[in-house]
Each structure stands twice: as C-alpha cells, then as structure tokens.
Amino acid sequence: MSDDVRGKIDELRAQVDELDCRLVALLNDRAGLALAIRDLKPKVNLGLYDPKREEEIFLRLAACNEGPLFGDNLREIFEAILHVMKEL
C-alpha cells in the first residue's frame, strides 16, 4: 500500500474517531433529555412507554435520512438506542 493511501486511511480513521466521540456526547445528551421527560410524564398521567411517539420518531428519522444508510438500517440503530434509553 502506498504511503499516500495509508495516510488517507489514517486521516479518515481520525475523522471517524472524532465523530464517534461526538456521537457518544449526543447520545448522553439524548439520555439526559429522555430522563427529564420520564420524570415529568407521571405528573400529567402519561405512561412511560408511548408506541405512537416511537413510531413518530422512526418516521421523522426516515424523512431526514439522506443516506448512505438504508432506512431499515437506521431504524435498527434507533431501535437499539431507544431500547437502551428505556433501560435507564
């Protein structure tokens, strides 16, 4: 492998690492908001799980997805995220 290609791979990997850290920070921000919502729901007699809201999330995500992720892949990722958020 040429040094040019190796350098480009290293550069792209550094960008991926930076994005991974940003994703972790955003997921933690999301978790904090989810916990705040969960604390408020009983005050207005809302259940903790709202399947309608979950479907709204998936529809909104599909609408803003410009790829290259396929819609099914994005849904699978967010199903995992929502599952973890419910376990907090």
Side-chain angles (χ1 to χ4, degrees):
M1 188 179 309
S2 74
D3 289 341
D4 293 3
V5 174
R6 175 67 73 181
K8 186 63 176 174
I9 289 171
D10 291 344
E11 178 183 317
L12 292 170
R13 284 180 175 166
Q15 290 177 35
V16 167
D17 292 346
E18 181 182 325
L19 283 173
D20 287 346
C21 285
R22 288 172 45 199
L23 285 170
V24 168
L26 289 170
L27 287 169
N28 279 311
D29 289 347
R30 190 189 195 292
L33 293 170
L35 288 171
I37 291 168
R38 182 170 63 184
D39 287 345
L40 294 171
K41 281 184 169 186
K43 295 175 182 171
V44 290
N45 297 316
L46 289 175
L48 294 180
Y49 175 63
D50 183 354
K52 182 179 177 217
R53 170 63 180 151
E54 200 165 280
E55 231 10 81
E56 290 171 356
I57 291 169
F58 294 136
L59 289 172
R60 185 177 35 76
L61 292 168
C64 65
N65 182 22
E66 296 180 5
L69 285 173
F70 292 111
D72 289 345
N73 300 129
L74 190 61
R75 185 178 178 113
E76 185 178 342
I77 291 166
F78 270 84
E79 283 174 345
I81 289 170
L82 293 175
H83 175 76
V84 169
M85 296 293 164
K86 288 179 215 167
E87 291 182 349
L88 289 175

mmCIF file with all atom_site columns, all heavy atoms in Angstrom, residues 58 61-63 65-79:
data_model
loop_
_atom_site.group_PDB
_atom_site.id
_atom_site.type_symbol
_atom_site.label_atom_id
_atom_site.label_alt_id
_atom_site.label_comp_id
_atom_site.label_asym_id
_atom_site.label_entity_id
_atom_site.label_seq_id
_atom_site.pdbx_PDB_ins_code
_atom_site.Cartn_x
_atom_site.Cartn_y
_atom_site.Cartn_z
_atom_site.occupancy
_atom_site.B_iso_or_equiv
_atom_site.pdbx_formal_charge
_atom_site.auth_seq_id
_atom_site.auth_comp_id
_atom_site.auth_asym_id
_atom_site.auth_atom_id
_atom_site.pdbx_PDB_model_num
ATOM 1   N N   . PHE A 1 58 ? -39.415 7.202  14.340 1.00 0.00 ? 58 PHE A N   1
ATOM 2   C CA  . PHE A 1 58 ? -38.931 6.459  13.171 1.00 0.00 ? 58 PHE A CA  1
ATOM 3   C C   . PHE A 1 58 ? -39.313 7.150  11.872 1.00 0.00 ? 58 PHE A C   1
ATOM 4   O O   . PHE A 1 58 ? -38.510 7.207  10.933 1.00 0.00 ? 58 PHE A O   1
ATOM 5   C CB  . PHE A 1 58 ? -39.453 5.025  13.193 1.00 0.00 ? 58 PHE A CB  1
ATOM 6   C CG  . PHE A 1 58 ? -38.913 4.195  14.322 1.00 0.00 ? 58 PHE A CG  1
ATOM 7   C CD1 . PHE A 1 58 ? -39.758 3.377  15.048 1.00 0.00 ? 58 PHE A CD1 1
ATOM 8   C CD2 . PHE A 1 58 ? -37.566 4.227  14.674 1.00 0.00 ? 58 PHE A CD2 1
ATOM 9   C CE1 . PHE A 1 58 ? -39.266 2.602  16.090 1.00 0.00 ? 58 PHE A CE1 1
ATOM 10  C CE2 . PHE A 1 58 ? -37.074 3.466  15.718 1.00 0.00 ? 58 PHE A CE2 1
ATOM 11  C CZ  . PHE A 1 58 ? -37.920 2.650  16.426 1.00 0.00 ? 58 PHE A CZ  1
ATOM 12  N N   . LEU A 1 61 ? -37.067 10.247 11.466 1.00 0.00 ? 61 LEU A N   1
ATOM 13  C CA  . LEU A 1 61 ? -35.717 9.842  11.088 1.00 0.00 ? 61 LEU A CA  1
ATOM 14  C C   . LEU A 1 61 ? -35.646 9.431  9.624  1.00 0.00 ? 61 LEU A C   1
ATOM 15  O O   . LEU A 1 61 ? -34.702 9.788  8.914  1.00 0.00 ? 61 LEU A O   1
ATOM 16  C CB  . LEU A 1 61 ? -35.234 8.692  11.977 1.00 0.00 ? 61 LEU A CB  1
ATOM 17  C CG  . LEU A 1 61 ? -34.983 9.050  13.436 1.00 0.00 ? 61 LEU A CG  1
ATOM 18  C CD1 . LEU A 1 61 ? -34.796 7.780  14.256 1.00 0.00 ? 61 LEU A CD1 1
ATOM 19  C CD2 . LEU A 1 61 ? -33.785 9.966  13.559 1.00 0.00 ? 61 LEU A CD2 1
ATOM 20  N N   . ALA A 1 62 ? -36.648 8.701  9.162  1.00 0.00 ? 62 ALA A N   1
ATOM 21  C CA  . ALA A 1 62 ? -36.677 8.284  7.754  1.00 0.00 ? 62 ALA A CA  1
ATOM 22  C C   . ALA A 1 62 ? -36.748 9.507  6.842  1.00 0.00 ? 62 ALA A C   1
ATOM 23  O O   . ALA A 1 62 ? -36.099 9.540  5.790  1.00 0.00 ? 62 ALA A O   1
ATOM 24  C CB  . ALA A 1 62 ? -37.864 7.351  7.509  1.00 0.00 ? 62 ALA A CB  1
ATOM 25  N N   . ALA A 1 63 ? -37.501 10.511 7.266  1.00 0.00 ? 63 ALA A N   1
ATOM 26  C CA  . ALA A 1 63 ? -37.651 11.719 6.452  1.00 0.00 ? 63 ALA A CA  1
ATOM 27  C C   . ALA A 1 63 ? -36.361 12.520 6.352  1.00 0.00 ? 63 ALA A C   1
ATOM 28  O O   . ALA A 1 63 ? -36.100 13.156 5.329  1.00 0.00 ? 63 ALA A O   1
ATOM 29  C CB  . ALA A 1 63 ? -38.769 12.592 7.022  1.00 0.00 ? 63 ALA A CB  1
ATOM 30  N N   . ASN A 1 65 ? -33.278 11.176 6.623  1.00 0.00 ? 65 ASN A N   1
ATOM 31  C CA  . ASN A 1 65 ? -32.168 10.324 6.194  1.00 0.00 ? 65 ASN A CA  1
ATOM 32  C C   . ASN A 1 65 ? -31.831 10.588 4.727  1.00 0.00 ? 65 ASN A C   1
ATOM 33  O O   . ASN A 1 65 ? -32.655 10.396 3.847  1.00 0.00 ? 65 ASN A O   1
ATOM 34  C CB  . ASN A 1 65 ? -32.522 8.850  6.395  1.00 0.00 ? 65 ASN A CB  1
ATOM 35  C CG  . ASN A 1 65 ? -31.392 7.931  6.002  1.00 0.00 ? 65 ASN A CG  1
ATOM 36  O OD1 . ASN A 1 65 ? -30.237 8.320  5.963  1.00 0.00 ? 65 ASN A OD1 1
ATOM 37  N ND2 . ASN A 1 65 ? -31.728 6.690  5.703  1.00 0.00 ? 65 ASN A ND2 1
ATOM 38  N N   . GLU A 1 66 ? -30.608 11.022 4.490  1.00 0.00 ? 66 GLU A N   1
ATOM 39  C CA  . GLU A 1 66 ? -30.142 11.272 3.126  1.00 0.00 ? 66 GLU A CA  1
ATOM 40  C C   . GLU A 1 66 ? -29.132 10.221 2.681  1.00 0.00 ? 66 GLU A C   1
ATOM 41  O O   . GLU A 1 66 ? -28.466 10.393 1.665  1.00 0.00 ? 66 GLU A O   1
ATOM 42  C CB  . GLU A 1 66 ? -29.542 12.672 3.030  1.00 0.00 ? 66 GLU A CB  1
ATOM 43  C CG  . GLU A 1 66 ? -30.562 13.764 3.276  1.00 0.00 ? 66 GLU A CG  1
ATOM 44  C CD  . GLU A 1 66 ? -29.978 15.156 3.183  1.00 0.00 ? 66 GLU A CD  1
ATOM 45  O OE1 . GLU A 1 66 ? -28.793 15.301 2.839  1.00 0.00 ? 66 GLU A OE1 1
ATOM 46  O OE2 . GLU A 1 66 ? -30.725 16.107 3.462  1.00 0.00 ? 66 GLU A OE2 1
ATOM 47  N N   . GLY A 1 67 ? -28.972 9.134  3.456  1.00 0.00 ? 67 GLY A N   1
ATOM 48  C CA  . GLY A 1 67 ? -28.052 8.064  3.093  1.00 0.00 ? 67 GLY A CA  1
ATOM 49  C C   . GLY A 1 67 ? -26.617 8.418  3.402  1.00 0.00 ? 67 GLY A C   1
ATOM 50  O O   . GLY A 1 67 ? -26.326 9.525  3.804  1.00 0.00 ? 67 GLY A O   1
ATOM 51  N N   . PRO A 1 68 ? -25.742 7.490  3.283  1.00 0.00 ? 68 PRO A N   1
ATOM 52  C CA  . PRO A 1 68 ? -25.882 6.226  2.586  1.00 0.00 ? 68 PRO A CA  1
ATOM 53  C C   . PRO A 1 68 ? -26.546 5.114  3.405  1.00 0.00 ? 68 PRO A C   1
ATOM 54  O O   . PRO A 1 68 ? -26.739 4.015  2.881  1.00 0.00 ? 68 PRO A O   1
ATOM 55  C CB  . PRO A 1 68 ? -24.449 5.844  2.229  1.00 0.00 ? 68 PRO A CB  1
ATOM 56  C CG  . PRO A 1 68 ? -23.626 6.426  3.315  1.00 0.00 ? 68 PRO A CG  1
ATOM 57  C CD  . PRO A 1 68 ? -24.342 7.703  3.704  1.00 0.00 ? 68 PRO A CD  1
ATOM 58  N N   . LEU A 1 69 ? -26.923 5.379  4.652  1.00 0.00 ? 69 LEU A N   1
ATOM 59  C CA  . LEU A 1 69 ? -27.617 4.344  5.422  1.00 0.00 ? 69 LEU A CA  1
ATOM 60  C C   . LEU A 1 69 ? -28.985 4.073  4.814  1.00 0.00 ? 69 LEU A C   1
ATOM 61  O O   . LEU A 1 69 ? -29.709 5.007  4.442  1.00 0.00 ? 69 LEU A O   1
ATOM 62  C CB  . LEU A 1 69 ? -27.817 4.783  6.875  1.00 0.00 ? 69 LEU A CB  1
ATOM 63  C CG  . LEU A 1 69 ? -26.606 4.767  7.791  1.00 0.00 ? 69 LEU A CG  1
ATOM 64  C CD1 . LEU A 1 69 ? -26.966 5.402  9.129  1.00 0.00 ? 69 LEU A CD1 1
ATOM 65  C CD2 . LEU A 1 69 ? -26.095 3.364  7.984  1.00 0.00 ? 69 LEU A CD2 1
ATOM 66  N N   . PHE A 1 70 ? -29.348 2.816  4.727  1.00 0.00 ? 70 PHE A N   1
ATOM 67  C CA  . PHE A 1 70 ? -30.684 2.443  4.306  1.00 0.00 ? 70 PHE A CA  1
ATOM 68  C C   . PHE A 1 70 ? -31.648 2.689  5.459  1.00 0.00 ? 70 PHE A C   1
ATOM 69  O O   . PHE A 1 70 ? -31.272 2.624  6.635  1.00 0.00 ? 70 PHE A O   1
ATOM 70  C CB  . PHE A 1 70 ? -30.736 0.962  3.893  1.00 0.00 ? 70 PHE A CB  1
ATOM 71  C CG  . PHE A 1 70 ? -29.958 0.661  2.648  1.00 0.00 ? 70 PHE A CG  1
ATOM 72  C CD1 . PHE A 1 70 ? -28.796 -0.096 2.722  1.00 0.00 ? 70 PHE A CD1 1
ATOM 73  C CD2 . PHE A 1 70 ? -30.374 1.126  1.412  1.00 0.00 ? 70 PHE A CD2 1
ATOM 74  C CE1 . PHE A 1 70 ? -28.070 -0.386 1.579  1.00 0.00 ? 70 PHE A CE1 1
ATOM 75  C CE2 . PHE A 1 70 ? -29.656 0.845  0.262  1.00 0.00 ? 70 PHE A CE2 1
ATOM 76  C CZ  . PHE A 1 70 ? -28.496 0.093  0.346  1.00 0.00 ? 70 PHE A CZ  1
ATOM 77  N N   . GLY A 1 71 ? -32.904 2.969  5.142  1.00 0.00 ? 71 GLY A N   1
ATOM 78  C CA  . GLY A 1 71 ? -33.903 3.232  6.158  1.00 0.00 ? 71 GLY A CA  1
ATOM 79  C C   . GLY A 1 71 ? -34.024 2.120  7.184  1.00 0.00 ? 71 GLY A C   1
ATOM 80  O O   . GLY A 1 71 ? -34.153 2.381  8.382  1.00 0.00 ? 71 GLY A O   1
ATOM 81  N N   . ASP A 1 72 ? -33.975 0.873  6.717  1.00 0.00 ? 72 ASP A N   1
ATOM 82  C CA  . ASP A 1 72 ? -34.067 -0.262 7.646  1.00 0.00 ? 72 ASP A CA  1
ATOM 83  C C   . ASP A 1 72 ? -32.885 -0.297 8.603  1.00 0.00 ? 72 ASP A C   1
ATOM 84  O O   . ASP A 1 72 ? -33.040 -0.641 9.777  1.00 0.00 ? 72 ASP A O   1
ATOM 85  C CB  . ASP A 1 72 ? -34.143 -1.589 6.882  1.00 0.00 ? 72 ASP A CB  1
ATOM 86  C CG  . ASP A 1 72 ? -35.473 -1.778 6.175  1.00 0.00 ? 72 ASP A CG  1
ATOM 87  O OD1 . ASP A 1 72 ? -36.434 -1.043 6.495  1.00 0.00 ? 72 ASP A OD1 1
ATOM 88  O OD2 . ASP A 1 72 ? -35.555 -2.656 5.301  1.00 0.00 ? 72 ASP A OD2 1
ATOM 89  N N   . ASN A 1 73 ? -31.702 0.060  8.097  1.00 0.00 ? 73 ASN A N   1
ATOM 90  C CA  . ASN A 1 73 ? -30.515 0.088  8.955  1.00 0.00 ? 73 ASN A CA  1
ATOM 91  C C   . ASN A 1 73 ? -30.631 1.172  10.010 1.00 0.00 ? 73 ASN A C   1
ATOM 92  O O   . ASN A 1 73 ? -30.311 0.956  11.180 1.00 0.00 ? 73 ASN A O   1
ATOM 93  C CB  . ASN A 1 73 ? -29.245 0.311  8.143  1.00 0.00 ? 73 ASN A CB  1
ATOM 94  C CG  . ASN A 1 73 ? -29.004 -0.752 7.105  1.00 0.00 ? 73 ASN A CG  1
ATOM 95  O OD1 . ASN A 1 73 ? -28.783 -0.438 5.942  1.00 0.00 ? 73 ASN A OD1 1
ATOM 96  N ND2 . ASN A 1 73 ? -29.038 -2.019 7.491  1.00 0.00 ? 73 ASN A ND2 1
ATOM 97  N N   . LEU A 1 74 ? -31.102 2.339  9.597  1.00 0.00 ? 74 LEU A N   1
ATOM 98  C CA  . LEU A 1 74 ? -31.272 3.446  10.520 1.00 0.00 ? 74 LEU A CA  1
ATOM 99  C C   . LEU A 1 74 ? -32.298 3.104  11.592 1.00 0.00 ? 74 LEU A C   1
ATOM 100 O O   . LEU A 1 74 ? -32.095 3.371  12.776 1.00 0.00 ? 74 LEU A O   1
ATOM 101 C CB  . LEU A 1 74 ? -31.692 4.705  9.756  1.00 0.00 ? 74 LEU A CB  1
ATOM 102 C CG  . LEU A 1 74 ? -31.675 6.008  10.529 1.00 0.00 ? 74 LEU A CG  1
ATOM 103 C CD1 . LEU A 1 74 ? -30.269 6.326  11.020 1.00 0.00 ? 74 LEU A CD1 1
ATOM 104 C CD2 . LEU A 1 74 ? -32.202 7.126  9.662  1.00 0.00 ? 74 LEU A CD2 1
ATOM 105 N N   . ARG A 1 75 ? -33.386 2.474  11.179 1.00 0.00 ? 75 ARG A N   1
ATOM 106 C CA  . ARG A 1 75 ? -34.408 2.067  12.150 1.00 0.00 ? 75 ARG A CA  1
ATOM 107 C C   . ARG A 1 75 ? -33.825 1.073  13.154 1.00 0.00 ? 75 ARG A C   1
ATOM 108 O O   . ARG A 1 75 ? -34.081 1.166  14.352 1.00 0.00 ? 75 ARG A O   1
ATOM 109 C CB  . ARG A 1 75 ? -35.614 1.475  11.440 1.00 0.00 ? 75 ARG A CB  1
ATOM 110 C CG  . ARG A 1 75 ? -36.736 1.151  12.420 1.00 0.00 ? 75 ARG A CG  1
ATOM 111 C CD  . ARG A 1 75 ? -37.952 0.602  11.712 1.00 0.00 ? 75 ARG A CD  1
ATOM 112 N NE  . ARG A 1 75 ? -38.962 0.259  12.697 1.00 0.00 ? 75 ARG A NE  1
ATOM 113 C CZ  . ARG A 1 75 ? -40.122 0.879  12.836 1.00 0.00 ? 75 ARG A CZ  1
ATOM 114 N NH1 . ARG A 1 75 ? -40.438 1.881  12.052 1.00 0.00 ? 75 ARG A NH1 1
ATOM 115 N NH2 . ARG A 1 75 ? -40.977 0.495  13.769 1.00 0.00 ? 75 ARG A NH2 1
ATOM 116 N N   . GLU A 1 76 ? -33.040 0.121  12.664 1.00 0.00 ? 76 GLU A N   1
ATOM 117 C CA  . GLU A 1 76 ? -32.423 -0.870 13.551 1.00 0.00 ? 76 GLU A CA  1
ATOM 118 C C   . GLU A 1 76 ? -31.508 -0.198 14.578 1.00 0.00 ? 76 GLU A C   1
ATOM 119 O O   . GLU A 1 76 ? -31.531 -0.539 15.762 1.00 0.00 ? 76 GLU A O   1
ATOM 120 C CB  . GLU A 1 76 ? -31.631 -1.872 12.714 1.00 0.00 ? 76 GLU A CB  1
ATOM 121 C CG  . GLU A 1 76 ? -31.047 -3.010 13.493 1.00 0.00 ? 76 GLU A CG  1
ATOM 122 C CD  . GLU A 1 76 ? -30.311 -4.003 12.601 1.00 0.00 ? 76 GLU A CD  1
ATOM 123 O OE1 . GLU A 1 76 ? -30.527 -4.005 11.376 1.00 0.00 ? 76 GLU A OE1 1
ATOM 124 O OE2 . GLU A 1 76 ? -29.523 -4.776 13.153 1.00 0.00 ? 76 GLU A OE2 1
ATOM 125 N N   . ILE A 1 77 ? -30.737 0.771  14.133 1.00 0.00 ? 77 ILE A N   1
ATOM 126 C CA  . ILE A 1 77 ? -29.850 1.508  15.042 1.00 0.00 ? 77 ILE A CA  1
ATOM 127 C C   . ILE A 1 77 ? -30.672 2.221  16.110 1.00 0.00 ? 77 ILE A C   1
ATOM 128 O O   . ILE A 1 77 ? -30.374 2.149  17.309 1.00 0.00 ? 77 ILE A O   1
ATOM 129 C CB  . ILE A 1 77 ? -28.972 2.506  14.259 1.00 0.00 ? 77 ILE A CB  1
ATOM 130 C CG1 . ILE A 1 77 ? -27.949 1.747  13.400 1.00 0.00 ? 77 ILE A CG1 1
ATOM 131 C CG2 . ILE A 1 77 ? -28.283 3.490  15.195 1.00 0.00 ? 77 ILE A CG2 1
ATOM 132 C CD1 . ILE A 1 77 ? -27.270 2.600  12.343 1.00 0.00 ? 77 ILE A CD1 1
ATOM 133 N N   . PHE A 1 78 ? -31.735 2.905  15.682 1.00 0.00 ? 78 PHE A N   1
ATOM 134 C CA  . PHE A 1 78 ? -32.522 3.666  16.644 1.00 0.00 ? 78 PHE A CA  1
ATOM 135 C C   . PHE A 1 78 ? -33.396 2.781  17.522 1.00 0.00 ? 78 PHE A C   1
ATOM 136 O O   . PHE A 1 78 ? -33.705 3.156  18.657 1.00 0.00 ? 78 PHE A O   1
ATOM 137 C CB  . PHE A 1 78 ? -33.326 4.773  15.952 1.00 0.00 ? 78 PHE A CB  1
ATOM 138 C CG  . PHE A 1 78 ? -32.531 6.052  15.879 1.00 0.00 ? 78 PHE A CG  1
ATOM 139 C CD1 . PHE A 1 78 ? -31.634 6.247  14.853 1.00 0.00 ? 78 PHE A CD1 1
ATOM 140 C CD2 . PHE A 1 78 ? -32.637 7.012  16.860 1.00 0.00 ? 78 PHE A CD2 1
ATOM 141 C CE1 . PHE A 1 78 ? -30.858 7.394  14.792 1.00 0.00 ? 78 PHE A CE1 1
ATOM 142 C CE2 . PHE A 1 78 ? -31.870 8.168  16.823 1.00 0.00 ? 78 PHE A CE2 1
ATOM 143 C CZ  . PHE A 1 78 ? -30.979 8.365  15.780 1.00 0.00 ? 78 PHE A CZ  1
ATOM 144 N N   . GLU A 1 79 ? -33.781 1.620  17.036 1.00 0.00 ? 79 GLU A N   1
ATOM 145 C CA  . GLU A 1 79 ? -34.469 0.673  17.920 1.00 0.00 ? 79 GLU A CA  1
ATOM 146 C C   . GLU A 1 79 ? -33.551 0.286  19.073 1.00 0.00 ? 79 GLU A C   1
ATOM 147 O O   . GLU A 1 79 ? -33.994 0.196  20.225 1.00 0.00 ? 79 GLU A O   1
ATOM 148 C CB  . GLU A 1 79 ? -34.916 -0.568 17.139 1.00 0.00 ? 79 GLU A CB  1
ATOM 149 C CG  . GLU A 1 79 ? -36.149 -0.333 16.295 1.00 0.00 ? 79 GLU A CG  1
ATOM 150 C CD  . GLU A 1 79 ? -36.508 -1.523 15.410 1.00 0.00 ? 79 GLU A CD  1
ATOM 151 O OE1 . GLU A 1 79 ? -35.663 -2.429 15.216 1.00 0.00 ? 79 GLU A OE1 1
ATOM 152 O OE2 . GLU A 1 79 ? -37.638 -1.535 14.899 1.00 0.00 ? 79 GLU A OE2 1
#
